[in-house]
Each structure stands twice: as C-alpha cells, then as structure tokens.
Amino acid sequence: MTGFSLSEHVHRRFNPLKGEWVLVSPHRAMRPWQGQVEKPEIAASITYDPDCYLCPGNTRAGGVRNPDYSDVFVFDNDFAALRPDTPEGHHDDSGLLVAEAESGIARVVCFTPRHDLTLARMEATAIRRVIDVWTDQVAELRENPAINHVLIFENRGEMMGCSNPHPHGQIWAQASIPNETSREMERMRAHYDRTGRTLLSDYLEREVAIQSRIVCENAGFVALVPFWAVWPFETLVIPRRPAQTLLDLTDGERNDLADILKRLTTRYDNLFGTMFPYSAGFHQAPVDGTPHPEWHLHMHFEPPLLRSATVKKFMVGYEMLGEAQRDITPESSAARLRALSETHYTLADAG
Ligand SMILES: [Zn+2]
Ligand SMILES: [Zn+2]
C-alpha cells in the first residue's frame, strides 16, 4: 500500500493466536493526560512481615499456620475458586441458560520466604527452583484424572488486584479447558494441520528475522512485544523449541527460562523505576491424556502501565464494546524495553 506506515497511520493488527484484531492509533501517544493517577508500587522493605499471611510461620486467614519454610512453598488456597469435591452436574434451560459443574484445585506458590523480594530481585538460581516447583506441580496434577488443564500465573501489584507484596503466584487446575487456552488451541491446531509446524515456531522465526520487536533473548528463549500486543508493554516469552508444557523443557531450557524471566522483569522495573505491576502466566497444552503436537508453550506478560509508574491504561468504552486499542506502537514499546539496563535500579542506586 503506497504511503501507508505502521508507525504513523491508524491501522488494525491481527492476532493469529486469538483470531482477533487490535486497533493501533500511533498519533494518540502524544495526547495530554488529565485522568486518574495511581500510587506507584513500592517494594516491601522488610524481609519478614508479622502481618503477612504468606510469610513463614504466620497464620493464614483460614486459621492454618504456614510452616517455617526456607525455599519455595506450595499450599492449597484457603479460599479456592475451584474445589475438588464439586459434584457432577449440568443445567440446560431452552439451550440458552446453560451451566456445567466444574471441579478443580487452586494452589498458592510462595516463590521465596523473603517478603521483600520479587522475581526481578531474586537470583536466577532461585527463580530456577520456582520453575522446578511449577513443573513438579504440572507433573503431579497431570496424574489426577479429574484435571485436564493447569494454569500457572502471577498477579503482581495492587493495580492488578493483588494487595500482598509477598512474592507469590497461583495455580488453578481444572477439568475443563478455559476460554483463552481453548481459543489458542483451535488456532494452533489449524496452523499445525496446514503446515506441520507450530504457529509460534513460524511466528518466532519471522520476529527473529525482523528484530524490531525483540526485547531480550538467550539460547533457549526469546522475549518480545508481540506484533498484535494490546497492553502498552505486553510481552510474550517463547521457547525457541516447541515444548508443549513445562514438562518438556530440558535442564538447560529451565535455566534459560529463569535467566529470561529475571532479565525481562528487571527491565520492566527499570522502565518507570517502580515495582512494575503485571499479570503473567503460562499457556501450555492441556494435560488431558491426548497428544498436542500443535502446542507451543509460552508465557504472557500483561502489564497495565501506560506512560509512567502512575498512569494506567484503561480498557473501557471502545475496548470493552468494540475491540482492543493501543496508542504507542509495539515497535516503540520494544525499543524502549530493549534500551533499558538489566541491572535492577535499586541495586544500581545502591552501588
Ligand atoms: Zn510475606
Ligand atoms: Zn497464550
């Protein structure tokens, strides 16, 4: 198209993983901001908080006392959204009011006993132990015939609805395949059936050739701002080899994942000099006992911040009722993330 530029002109980009479009309006990045300003996220300054329900030895809201743990610690969520004892059931009124019983298991994973740390501030060797625990959890939950899908995720920061700064994530395992995974699976399967390759292998090959959306990489993994990113600084972490679940990663790939997670989250914190909030999680093949050659494990990072530690992107109006929209282009977001240091700002300040 003559005279058409992805960096200047309003356009829509297609997300092949979801089969959805996102509207990109590059010129709007310059508009003045008079909206809501959030509090910046401040990292905890104490290694142990007597009032934190996740710190070792403390009593949780359900009355259970945490052990005096010294490494990664996993427990069943006291107020789980999914319960293993749910009876089977089905509701259908006229084909329009349809419901199904859902059983599952929800767990909490404390990344470290240290209340003040984050993935960015943990050593890569400590992140590696978290990855080992995540992987062991998938292995264990896979053996449960009532579990077909395992979602591992982290909500970080009050902006994402997480009020406890203690570094932790969650695991929700359930009988059904949730919407997001299910939609990606359909798209991945169609691509695999057509080409014999995974969608993300072909996508990654293009991105590595183009380079403009790559944030950082190592032997096993690439972190990039996807061509179709919705959130201003959204990223995908993709293994170069099409692993289907965490269980398929080699020892070296687990180390590479720990390395890329530390580097990416450090860049995020350095972007606005804050404890950068996000929701992040792995999409992996269902553990439903059937082969999934179409799947390519990946991790999504979806951070809400727009232009500073205090200005958040709102998904309202057009985004809720029309489709996702962004102002700064994915290429300029990637360039900004790429330019940042991989030494955490607090360490740099201290040194
Ligand atoms: Zn704590
Ligand atoms: Zn995904």
Side-chain angles (χ1 to χ4, degrees), residues 40-109:
E41 305 271 353
I42 309 292
S45 55
I46 41 173
T47 58
Y48 167 77
D49 177 352
D51 295 324
C52 168
Y53 65 91
L54 297 176
C55 272
N58 291 359
T59 304
R60 305 201 296 268
V64 182
R65 190 186 165 91
N66 293 329
D68 199 13
Y69 67 94
S70 56
D71 202 354
V72 188
F73 168 54
V74 183
F75 64 91
D76 283 339
N77 195 319
D78 302 311
F79 303 98
L82 292 159
R83 307 179 59 99
D85 52 2
T86 308
E88 282 186 33
H90 183 74
H91 174 94
D92 188 339
D93 173 341
S94 69
L96 293 172
L97 313 179
V98 176
E100 279 179 352
E102 182 70 8
S103 65
I105 297 169
R107 290 180 176 155
V108 175
V109 182

Side-chain angles (χ1 to χ4, degrees), residues 28-38 232 304-316 319 325 327:
R28 292 229 316 170
M30 307 307 293
R31 85 202 141 107
W33 180 261
Q34 294 183 314
Q36 184 171 330
V37 171
E38 314 280 338
L305 290 180
L306 178 57
R307 65 185 74 213
S308 72
T310 54
V311 175
K312 175 184 170 212
K313 169 160 177 74
F314 285 92
M315 290 284 195
V316 294
E319 283 98 339
Q325 184 270 338
D327 297 342

Side-chain angles (χ1 to χ4, degrees), residues 85-333:
D85 52 2
T86 308
E88 282 186 33
H90 183 74
H91 174 94
D92 188 339
D93 173 341
S94 69
L96 293 172
L97 313 179
V98 176
E100 279 179 352
E102 182 70 8
S103 65
I105 297 169
R107 290 180 176 155
V108 175
V109 182
C110 296
F111 298 160
T112 160
R114 282 269 303 270
H115 185 78
D116 59 326
L117 293 182
T118 61
L119 283 183
R121 289 185 168 94
M122 286 166 67
E123 297 298 328
T125 49
I127 300 174
R128 162 66 199 253
R129 289 200 297 278
V130 177
I131 293 166
D132 289 343
V133 169
W134 284 336
T135 309
D136 291 347
Q137 286 288 315
V138 177
E140 182 205 314
L141 290 162
R142 179 178 66 162
E143 296 306 314
N144 183 334
I147 299 298
N148 293 308
H149 184 265
V150 180
L151 186 69
I152 297 170
F153 63 97
E154 179 189 7
N155 286 329
R156 197 175 91 170
E158 279 182 50
M159 244 179 252
M160 299 312 288
C162 179
S163 50
N164 190 333
H166 195 112
H168 70 286
Q170 302 189 51
I171 298 175
W172 289 25
Q174 65 191 103
S176 303
I177 315 300
N179 291 338
E180 295 290 325
T181 309
S182 170
R183 196 151 48 151
E184 287 191 359
M185 187 160 64
E186 262 176 50
R187 310 280 316 175
M188 287 178 169
R189 188 173 289 154
H191 186 95
Y192 185 81
D193 287 349
R194 200 169 64 246
T195 65
R197 289 169 53 87
T198 70
L199 193 160
L200 287 181
S201 293
D202 284 340
Y203 171 64
L204 193 57
E205 191 179 295
R206 287 304 304 140
E207 289 290 21
V208 168
I210 296 165
Q211 284 286 313
S212 64
R213 283 172 294 272
I214 307 285
V215 176
C216 52
E217 52 190 314
N218 60 28
F221 285 82
V222 178
L224 54 84
V225 179
F227 179 75
W228 53 82
V230 167
W231 296 97
F233 294 96
E234 177 177 339
T235 53
L236 273 182
V237 176
I238 308 172
R240 293 183 196 270
R241 209 172 53 81
Q244 288 160 20
T245 71
L246 286 171
L247 295 166
D248 299 321
L249 297 181
T250 63
D251 183 65
E253 283 169 331
R254 290 192 198 187
N255 286 337
D256 289 343
L257 177 57
D259 170 74
I260 208 96
L261 290 182
K262 179 171 177 61
R263 290 164 59 193
L264 178 62
T265 53
T266 300
R267 285 170 183 272
Y268 271 149
D269 283 1
N270 287 344
L271 180 62
F272 298 129
T274 190
M275 197 178 96
F276 199 74
Y278 57 73
S279 274
F282 292 96
H283 276 152
Q284 53 185 342
V287 289
D288 57 359
T290 61
H292 286 282
E294 78 280 10
W295 257 97
H296 196 132
L297 169 79
H298 56 283
M299 190 173 187
H300 292 267
F301 276 84
E302 308 202 347
L305 290 180
L306 178 57
R307 65 185 74 213
S308 72
T310 54
V311 175
K312 175 184 170 212
K313 169 160 177 74
F314 285 92
M315 290 284 195
V316 294
Y318 185 81
E319 283 98 339
M320 279 179 140
L321 301 166
E323 66 190 17
Q325 184 270 338
R326 62 178 293 134
D327 297 342
I328 45 175
T329 63
E331 295 72 40
S332 48
S333 296

